[in-house]
Amino acid sequence: MHPTPPPLSTYVESWTPGPVEEEDPLGAGPAAALSAVLNLPDPAHKAGEPLPPLWQWLYFLNWPAGQELGADGHPSNGRFLPPLPQRQRMWAGGRCTITEPLRLGELAERVSSLASVTAKRGSTGEMLFVTERREFRQRGRTCLVEEQDIVYRSGRSAGQHPSVVDELARPREGEPWQLPLRPDPALLFRFSALTANAHRIHYDAPYCRDEEGYPGLVVHGPLLALLMLELARRHAPDRQVRSLSYRLRRPVFAGEHLVACGTPRGDRAELRVSTHREERHAEGEVTFA
């Protein structure tokens, strides 16, 4: 009989990482690159222009040395990575409040801190929820505050995934706002590079199948969130997003047809990403100023 592993909370009882302050000039290059990757009709890439919601993910990037990466491509150590054995990571969702948009070409400051650590037990075992808080400032003013929820496990659990990727089936479409996309490996590779994400599930197909049990390359959760927010930018270009929230529920795989859908409801809009398999791989909401 195998001994019962200790609760995950025991590994983080004395884990209290302090805040980190960083600066970034918010050059126009990354924003122009993402506009090209997503074939955006109205690219945001000029100095002085507002940075679209969540595009701050293109900046303040961390590039650890290659020898500091684990077998899965994630960094082995980091300020806000909990000290769990056989740590497995999944981006679960987040929130963002925008007082005023960040501006390209102007020096920005980011203060990152640990907001909360909570252990929970679900149907697939124990999980550790870590929330990281990030405050972004320009010209001495706080422009936006973001929280990211990351879920960690100790060891790997078997997920319920299709055995093969269906590249022909299309999702049902019904909402007023729609943005269809069929992510391919080139798009995922380029998005990984733009966000300094070396996780192998996004570009190493044999690793996905043999080590993680996925049928193909996994579409980035942050990419799904950005696609949902792109709906608001395209369909309500004159309305400033005041706050947003999103939740990532089920993975999407390269080659699948997806559609980001949105329904405006007064001063807010409901958002989701669907495929033929799931109506809500991701869901979100924005409120307008």
Side-chain angles (χ1 to χ4, degrees):
M1 180 179 295
H2 296 287
T4 302
L8 296 185
S9 59
T10 61
Y11 293 100
V12 293
E13 287 176 343
S14 60
W15 182 56
T16 55
V20 177
E21 297 186 19
E22 301 163 282
E23 293 184 344
D24 194 296
L26 296 194
L34 182 60
S35 296
V37 168
L38 297 181
N39 296 309
L40 299 188
D42 184 22
H45 61 264
K46 296 180 181 178
E49 288 187 344
L51 193 65
L54 300 185
W55 286 38
Q56 66 267 18
W57 293 343
L58 304 175
Y59 299 91
F60 299 93
L61 300 180
N62 177 33
W63 284 92
Q67 64 187 8
E68 297 174 4
L69 300 180
D72 61 358
H74 273 309
S76 298
N77 299 291
R79 177 65 66 95
F80 301 110
L81 295 177
L84 301 180
Q86 298 180 306
R87 184 179 59 228
Q88 298 295 318
R89 176 182 184 272
M90 181 182 69
W91 197 323
R95 298 152 300 283
C96 189
T97 301
I98 304 171
T99 303
E100 58 182 292
L102 295 170
R103 298 281 173 176
L104 287 169
E106 297 184 11
L107 184 67
E109 302 171 344
R110 183 180 75 177
V111 179
S112 304
S113 59
L114 184 66
S116 65
V117 181
T118 306
K120 298 181 180 180
R121 180 169 293 278
S123 59
T124 57
E126 195 176 17
M127 300 171 288
L128 192 72
F129 287 78
V130 175
T131 298
E132 183 179 340
R133 178 183 173 89
R134 296 174 171 181
E135 298 182 18
F136 295 81
R137 303 169 184 163
Q138 274 184 330
R139 299 182 180 180
R141 300 191 299 267
T142 298
C143 297
L144 64 89
V145 178
E146 176 189 9
E147 289 188 341
Q148 295 180 0
D149 301 326
I150 311 296
V151 179
Y152 294 93
R153 299 179 186 275
S154 180
R156 187 169 290 130
S157 62
Q160 299 296 320
H161 309 300
S163 57
V164 295
V165 174
D166 187 337
E167 299 188 359
L168 298 178
R170 295 177 179 270
R172 292 182 297 173
E173 301 175 4
E175 283 84 341
W177 296 354
Q178 297 180 16
L179 176 58
L181 183 68
R182 183 171 175 263
D184 60 20
L187 189 154
L188 301 190
F189 175 80
R190 297 173 83 190
F191 189 77
S192 286
L194 278 175
T195 54
N197 185 346
H199 196 183
R200 293 170 65 183
I201 63 173
H202 304 305
Y203 59 87
D204 188 338
Y207 173 85
C208 284
R209 292 190 297 265
D210 301 338
E211 298 295 330
E212 299 275 1
Y214 295 118
L217 299 177
V218 179
V219 178
H220 308 68
L223 177 56
L224 299 181
L226 283 169
L227 290 174
M228 290 192 292
L229 268 295
E230 183 61 20
L231 289 167
R233 197 171 81 91
R234 292 192 183 195
H235 293 278
D238 298 327
R239 305 189 70 180
Q240 181 182 334
V241 173
R242 180 64 67 197
S243 65
L244 63 95
S245 61
Y246 61 93
R247 182 183 178 191
L248 306 172
R249 302 171 63 93
R250 297 284 188 275
V252 178
F253 303 105
E256 288 190 299
H257 291 271
L258 66 82
V259 61
C261 306
T263 301
R265 301 190 186 279
D267 64 350
R268 64 186 180 92
E270 297 174 354
L271 313 170
R272 67 184 176 95
V273 173
S274 67
T275 69
H276 71 286
R277 293 187 291 112
E278 298 273 354
E279 289 191 354
R280 295 183 179 275
H281 288 273
E283 58 188 1
E285 181 177 272
V286 298
T287 60
F288 298 104

